[in-house]
Amino acid sequence: MSDARFSVTMSEELYQEVDQFRHSHKYKTQTKAVVALVEKGLNSLGLPEPPPDGKVPITDARSTLMEVRFSQLDDQDKASVYSYAGYLLEQEKYQQTGEDGSGT
């Protein structure tokens, strides 16, 4: 399996920080330094370890991504999400029904 490739554009200030990280940690290439930084960043998010087969169910991946994104919101934006979720839960099409057809 070959490695995936992509380009990254960043500010000059961020570029200088990456370059300093590269030299201070003695990485031979910028690519290795950037990969190390990406790995450190992903690990810091506390994402669950992938299953042994490497296949993450799409619903699990979406839930995890939503949790990560939500955790990065400020308090005002979190309040907005909660408010909108409450509004949606009041809508008939989102009401759960019991076996007898009544709302739960």
Side-chain angles (χ1 to χ4, degrees):
M1 183 170 140
S2 65
D3 292 337
R5 301 178 71 116
F6 67 97
S7 297
V8 177
T9 302
M10 63 184 74
S11 69
E12 182 64 31
E13 293 82 17
L14 186 56
Y15 177 84
Q16 292 300 325
E17 288 184 51
V18 170
D19 199 46
Q20 287 175 355
F21 175 85
R22 173 187 168 207
H23 292 295
S24 67
H25 290 81
K26 300 185 180 0
Y27 285 101
K28 291 182 180 182
T29 66
Q30 284 180 329
T31 298
K32 289 183 181 187
V34 169
V35 168
L37 287 166
V38 168
E39 288 173 345
K40 286 177 182 290
L42 290 173
N43 289 338
S44 75
L45 294 174
L47 299 175
E49 290 294 318
D53 64 1
K55 297 179 182 176
V56 177
I58 192 69
T59 54
D60 290 350
R62 285 184 180 153
S63 295
T64 301
L65 182 58
M66 288 174 62
E67 288 175 26
V68 168
R69 287 183 176 163
F70 183 80
S71 71
Q72 295 170 340
L73 296 174
D74 63 25
D75 289 340
Q76 183 177 357
D77 289 337
K78 286 180 182 177
S80 296
V81 170
Y82 282 125
S83 175
Y84 186 63
Y87 164 78
L88 290 177
L89 291 172
E90 293 172 358
Q91 304 305 305
E92 186 175 331
K93 67 181 179 178
Y94 296 111
Q95 297 285 320
Q96 290 184 340
T97 56
E99 291 180 23
D100 62 355
S102 65
T104 56

